[in-house]
Amino acid sequence: MFLAELITVAIIILFGCMSPGPDFVAVTSHALSDRVKGLWVALGAAMAISIWAALAVFGLDTVLSIFPWLYNVLRFGGAAYLVWLGGMILWSTRSPSSSIELGQPVPSTRAALWTGLLVGLANPKTAVFFGSIFLAVFPSNSPFWVHLSTVVLTFAIALTWFSAVATLFSIGSITAIYSKFRRLIDRFLGLLLISLALRVAFW
């Protein structure tokens, strides 16, 4: 029982993670410079997505619909943080030797973990996304273990996907291309992150 629903949710979550967003930019930008830090950002992003999923399970999306001002605070605050990160990337392109790590320098794996976590938490629309999934797929009387399983699935899928992205973008041939066109790629990623921030704020 509920196996079909969990499989459906798992597929939706996977496609949601695969959709390019701030998490993807954060993971790839770190992985291009350092695979280990890219993996730590991936862990932080997976944790953030799981937090939003858990909050949605416990009805945060309902609270946000009742108090739209709270949603707006989270939305614009998160967008401002993402704009700041994008600006830091653009700022890092001032010299040819600059290196992109979302607010360079990132001195430790702990900082990389926090970057992934904060970037993920900067998008409150994730909670609304999960809330709509749960309402559409699960009946209102779903047992607790189903909700818990959904959160665990969310974490596992997000971690697997973003870890794969970090590994892919840290392959030697890709990092060699990045080294050759570093400033151009950095500028693109910075502008992309700012555009995603605007999407969080106004779409």
Side-chain angles (χ1 to χ4, degrees):
M1 190 175 182
F2 294 106
L3 179 60
E5 288 85 352
L6 287 172
I7 292 175
T8 300
V9 167
I11 294 172
I12 295 173
I13 292 171
L14 176 59
F15 279 104
C17 290
M18 293 173 67
S19 176
D23 299 318
F24 181 85
V25 176
V27 172
T28 55
S29 64
H30 282 74
L32 284 167
S33 298
D34 187 317
R35 175 180 296 184
V36 173
K37 289 177 182 176
L39 290 172
W40 278 97
V41 175
L43 175 59
M47 291 170 59
I49 293 172
S50 302
I51 290 172
W52 284 126
L55 291 173
V57 165
F58 293 105
L60 177 64
D61 58 316
T62 302
V63 174
L64 294 178
S65 65
I66 297 174
F67 302 101
W69 62 268
L70 177 59
Y71 176 73
N72 289 331
V73 168
L74 294 173
R75 183 161 56 100
F76 288 110
Y81 176 69
L82 295 177
V83 167
W84 177 79
L85 289 177
M88 290 297 292
I89 294 178
L90 293 176
W91 182 257
S92 73
T93 64
R94 297 185 328 279
S95 64
S97 61
S98 63
S99 174
I100 177 175
E101 285 190 3
L102 281 182
Q104 174 198 348
V106 176
S108 66
T109 53
R110 178 182 297 181
L113 175 67
W114 274 105
T115 296
L117 182 64
L118 292 175
V119 168
L121 291 177
N123 188 4
K125 291 186 177 182
T126 305
V128 179
F129 169 75
F130 281 112
S132 62
I133 291 176
F134 299 152
L135 288 175
V137 177
F138 295 121
S140 57
N141 60 344
S142 299
F144 175 77
W145 71 266
V146 172
H147 295 160
L148 181 61
S149 298
T150 302
V151 176
V152 173
L153 265 176
T154 300
F155 177 77
I157 292 170
L159 180 60
T160 301
W161 168 252
F162 287 119
S163 295
V165 169
T167 301
L168 174 64
F169 279 84
S170 61
I171 293 175
S173 57
I174 294 179
T175 56
I177 295 173
Y178 167 68
S179 297
K180 186 176 181 180
F181 300 101
R182 172 174 290 176
R183 297 181 74 186
L184 181 63
I185 294 174
D186 287 3
R187 287 170 181 168
F188 170 76
L189 290 174
L191 291 173
L192 177 61
L193 194 58
I194 291 173
S195 68
L196 291 171
L198 295 177
R199 187 177 71 175
V200 168
F202 300 109
W203 291 8

